[in-house]
Amino acid sequence: MKKVLNKIVVYMFLTILGIVMIYPLLWLISSSFRTNQEIFTSMGLIPKQIITDSYVKGWRGSGQYSYGVFFLNTFKLVIPTVLFTLISSVLVAYGFARFKFPLKKFLFAMMISTLMLPNAVIIIPRYILYRNLGWLDSYLPFTIPALFATYSFFIFMLVQFIRGIPRELDESARIDGCNSFDILVRIIIPLSKPALFSAGIFQFIWRWNDFLNVLIYITSVRKYTLSLALRMSMDITDSVAWNQLMAMSVLTMVPPILIFFFAQKYFVEGIATTGLKG
Amino acid sequence: MKVTKIMKNPNFRSKFKSDYVGLLYIAPWIIGFLVFQLYPFITSFIYSFTDLSLLKTPNFVGLSNYKNLLTNDKLFYQSLKITLIYVLVAVPGKLLFALFIAMILNMKLKLINFYRTIYYMPSILGGSVALAVLWRFLFARNGLVNIVLSKLSIPAIDWLGNPDIALYTISFLTIWQFGSSMVLFLAGLKQIPAELYEAAKVDGAGRIRSFFNITLPMLTPIIFFNLIMQTINAFQQFTSAFVITKGGPLKSTYLYGLMLYDYGFKYFRMGYASAQSWILFAIIMCLTLLVFKSSPYWTYYEDGGDF
């Protein structure tokens, strides 16, 4: 009897906590369909009167550039960055996981230590470097470093995973006449798909949500990503059109949340196997 | 004779060759590391001794940036103080809560996946502007939180307008995203062998004792990593304070990241900002070292600590 009672208490607690966690998001969605007068009076989830012009008007963005442009920009920044990160990281991870070479331990330690290098320390010289290279106000500050495997978290994640792939597979492929690149393409990459998938998802979501870096590097509205566009809408609509701002916030949340639902398995496995980032 | 024998050995050849092949594979990272990490790291240290700004040619000013910061910059101390409060509230708050919920979810309940999904949701949206927008609405003077409080006949609280409260409202946004740490802890808990608990039960240990003697020691490596990474991130928190409160009211949420942004990219006093960033780096390093050095006393590694 006491056990049953205990269980009921636990479930009640978990459910209440679940509501606290999810309710704000649901409220945001429902409020984006409300009139501005109603947003700050009601705590329920069902609008008295459902309106959609918040989406229509909000979508217009700055007037000159609509949220269509901002969505497209975000994809233009995020997708190449994700792809380049995956390609470069798997090459480097393969090198670290499977080969012996001079200074390997030292280089690996350097790679790990960059995980703890605060972005705040290197951001000013990077800005000046990119300015001298003429990369400011473009997406090159995001894509080119990705091409050179500077997101070391993913290298670490993939090294851990590749180490778990039995070496006998490499050996037998070698006997069959494969060189090291064949082994990477035919054995390591296909077997690392789950890890690559979760690395891709994480990188997608982190780049998608990134604000500070785009704030610093992107200046013209034409090239704004969604984070910058939302901030701009916030300043423009500060005192009037809350529902438009909410509507656009909801839209920017859709891609990460969709990915989360479709690829949940990889998410949980991804963080669980690396055990690193929170 | 001997040499040719070694040369003919296929293992020798492949090993010799793979030396360089391995370097070839990691070459992209070596270039990226040198250009985008090591070079900026060293130059930012050099910049911190100059009056670099984008508007004029820089001069070496010796230690004067540091001297100015430490002796005469009240805003610097204010920012440092509230950043430390933020880190001390948000990081332990998040980790303790994540551990607590992970313990509950590990009790072999039904619907675990469902609850885990829901708790994880806010973490997906990370430090996004959209989430900051949501926070502004939730904690506005007549926002959802105060509407709920009024239904419970509790007087409204000025969550973002009161300098004594605003920082905690922002910390709460961080704690609300406890999901990712929770998933990590849950994975760690699943790896603890059940025999350990059974043995403890036979020895007459209660729940609380087995928590402190088994669960906690087995989880310490994960807690250790989480603590370090979350602390480093928290010291650099930017988006929430920048979007929700713009550092106000009365600079009560003027986190270190905001100050760095202002000096580096608004006033373009980049030498001064570099010095600020190196002080932050020194603080983070000291704390990380402290955690590392103390870890043998509180972390437990089954394989003797080689990771």
Side-chain angles (χ1 to χ4, degrees):
Chain A
M1 190 58 209
K2 202 185 150 208
K3 253 192 172 165
V4 176
L5 208 71
N6 264 342
K7 275 219 157 145
I8 293 174
V9 172
V10 169
Y11 276 113
M12 267 173 60
F13 172 75
L14 289 177
T15 308
I16 292 171
L17 181 67
I19 293 171
V20 171
M21 295 301 288
I22 206 83
Y23 200 86
L25 294 172
L26 297 176
W27 179 79
L28 181 73
I29 296 170
S30 111
S31 295
S32 68
F33 291 103
R34 285 180 217 260
T35 59
N36 280 316
Q37 293 77 15
E38 201 196 330
I39 287 176
F40 288 122
T41 53
S42 151
M43 58 183 270
L45 284 184
I46 298 154
K48 279 184 203 133
Q49 175 202 350
I50 296 179
I51 56 150
T52 50
D53 74 326
S54 53
Y55 282 83
V56 177
K57 281 185 188 155
W59 186 261
R60 285 182 203 148
S62 70
Q64 200 178 359
Y65 300 103
S66 75
Y67 268 78
V69 175
F70 303 138
F71 261 94
L72 208 66
N73 286 344
T74 312
F75 280 113
K76 275 189 209 158
L77 185 156
V78 170
I79 288 177
T81 307
V82 170
L83 287 179
F84 292 167
T85 303
L86 290 183
I87 295 168
S88 61
S89 301
V90 79
L91 282 174
V92 175
Y94 179 56
F96 274 125
R98 282 297 202 254
F99 297 93
K100 281 188 180 147
F101 46 83
L103 292 177
K104 179 175 159 176
K105 273 209 162 155
F106 171 74
L107 291 172
F108 193 73
M110 288 316 264
M111 197 270 289
I112 295 293
S113 65
T114 60
L115 281 175
M116 286 184 271
L117 177 66
N119 190 33
V121 177
I122 54 176
I123 202 160
I124 289 172
R126 270 191 173 190
Y127 178 86
I128 293 173
L129 176 70
Y130 298 150
R131 198 175 80 112
N132 294 339
L133 290 167
W135 289 1
L136 291 185
D137 206 21
S138 81
Y139 304 139
L140 295 176
F142 303 89
T143 50
I144 302 296
L147 204 54
F148 289 99
T150 41
Y151 295 96
S152 40
F153 171 68
F154 300 109
I155 304 177
F156 176 73
M157 182 174 170
L158 289 166
V159 167
Q160 296 287 86
F161 195 87
I162 293 173
R163 275 182 183 159
I165 299 174
R167 272 172 187 270
E168 289 82 51
L169 294 175
D170 301 28
E171 291 305 320
S172 56
R174 188 162 310 203
I175 291 165
D176 290 345
C178 287
N179 62 28
S180 66
F181 190 73
D182 292 333
I183 293 172
L184 172 66
V185 173
R186 293 195 198 162
I187 294 174
I188 302 294
I189 290 181
L191 287 175
S192 306
K193 259 189 202 153
L196 283 169
F197 217 73
S198 40
I201 291 166
F202 276 113
Q203 181 67 324
F204 180 90
I205 287 176
W206 289 341
R207 288 311 110 209
W208 187 274
N209 290 334
D210 178 32
F211 175 60
L212 176 61
N213 293 298
V214 285
L215 179 68
I216 288 170
Y217 298 132
I218 310 292
T219 41
S220 54
V221 180
R222 186 167 57 88
K223 291 175 185 164
Y224 267 18
T225 61
L226 287 166
S227 310
L228 294 171
L230 266 187
R231 222 260 312 210
M232 181 181 64
S233 299
M234 203 170 86
D235 290 343
I236 294 173
T237 59
D238 219 2
S239 51
V240 264
W242 298 299
N243 58 7
Q244 293 177 26
L245 182 58
M246 286 175 150
M248 292 307 108
S249 297
V250 170
L251 288 185
T252 66
M253 289 176 175
V254 169
I257 287 181
L258 273 185
I259 286 192
F260 173 60
F261 274 109
F262 283 110
Q264 230 191 99
K265 204 181 110 205
Y266 294 103
F267 253 97
V268 173
E269 278 173 9
I271 14 186
T273 50
T274 56
L276 239 183
K277 192 101 170 191
Chain B
M1 172 66 199
K2 228 179 176 179
V3 175
T4 45
K5 204 175 167 188
I6 294 172
M7 290 287 279
K8 274 184 186 159
N9 181 341
N11 278 333
F12 173 79
R13 284 202 55 168
S14 69
K15 241 185 185 165
F16 187 74
K17 215 174 120 197
S18 64
D19 270 352
Y20 295 93
V21 173
L23 277 173
L24 211 63
Y25 282 109
I26 67 160
W29 172 77
I30 294 179
I31 297 168
F33 171 68
L34 292 176
V35 177
F36 299 114
Q37 284 165 330
L38 191 62
Y39 165 77
F41 183 67
I42 293 166
T43 32
S44 98
F45 189 62
I46 298 169
Y47 289 165
S48 73
F49 300 103
T50 69
D51 62 355
L52 177 76
S53 80
L54 291 179
L55 313 168
K56 57 181 180 64
T57 44
N59 300 305
F60 263 94
V61 293
L63 284 169
S64 84
N65 284 334
Y66 289 98
K67 226 171 108 189
N68 234 336
L69 271 171
L70 295 173
T71 55
N72 244 313
D73 192 333
K74 277 191 185 140
L75 200 55
F76 163 77
Y77 280 107
Q78 160 73 5
S79 180
L80 190 62
K81 188 184 93 189
I82 62 135
T83 306
L84 284 172
I85 296 173
Y86 168 77
V87 171
L88 284 174
V89 171
V91 176
K94 186 178 187 176
L95 293 185
L96 284 176
F97 203 60
L99 182 61
F100 176 63
I101 302 299
M103 297 279 303
I104 295 178
L105 288 185
N106 198 37
M107 292 195 327
K108 297 197 178 61
L109 301 168
K110 281 171 192 149
L111 295 172
I112 285 185
N113 288 344
F114 171 74
Y115 286 117
R116 194 179 58 188
T117 305
I118 291 199
Y119 301 160
Y120 193 79
M121 276 278 273
S123 305
I124 307 287
L125 304 164
S128 66
V129 176
L131 218 53
V133 167
L134 170 62
W135 227 241
R136 249 172 81 134
F137 284 116
L138 283 181
F139 290 95
R141 227 171 291 238
N142 46 359
L144 179 66
V145 175
N146 277 342
I147 297 175
V148 173
L149 288 184
S150 75
K151 296 272 192 267
L152 301 169
S153 329
I154 299 171
I157 295 169
D158 196 357
W159 298 100
L160 297 170
N162 184 335
D164 295 327
I165 298 175
L167 185 63
Y168 298 97
T169 311
I170 287 187
S171 311
F172 187 52
L173 174 57
T174 312
I175 298 172
W176 188 54
Q177 295 167 21
F178 70 90
S180 52
S181 303
M182 175 201 73
V183 173
L184 272 177
F185 290 143
L186 203 54
L189 285 171
K190 289 236 161 71
Q191 276 166 11
I192 301 176
E195 298 93 68
L196 285 180
Y197 290 108
E198 278 152 29
K201 218 173 191 178
V202 172
D203 290 347
R207 252 196 217 170
I208 294 171
R209 263 192 65 193
S210 38
F211 173 77
F212 282 105
N213 291 330
I214 300 172
T215 314
L216 215 49
M218 295 293 277
L219 275 185
T220 43
I222 298 180
I223 297 176
F224 169 74
F225 263 128
N226 248 290
L227 186 64
I228 290 180
M229 298 312 285
Q230 298 283 354
T231 307
I232 294 174
N233 286 340
F235 266 108
Q236 302 177 80
Q237 176 63 275
F238 177 78
T239 308
S240 56
F242 186 80
V243 174
I244 301 172
T245 51
K246 296 183 175 135
L250 298 174
K251 301 277 178 201
S252 65
T253 58
Y254 194 59
L255 292 177
Y256 212 92
L258 270 71
M259 179 175 69
L260 276 173
Y261 173 79
D262 277 353
Y263 279 94
F265 300 101
K266 214 164 120 192
Y267 318 139
F268 288 108
R269 290 181 60 189
M270 291 176 152
Y272 199 62
S274 295
Q276 288 173 340
S277 77
W278 271 83
I279 290 177
L280 180 69
F281 183 64
I283 293 169
I284 291 178
M285 273 299 105
C286 287
L287 284 177
T288 311
L289 268 175
L290 197 75
V291 178
F292 261 102
K293 290 278 179 213
S294 69
S295 73
Y297 301 102
W298 61 273
T299 44
Y300 168 82
Y301 290 101
E302 248 177 316
D303 54 6
D306 184 33
F307 70 95

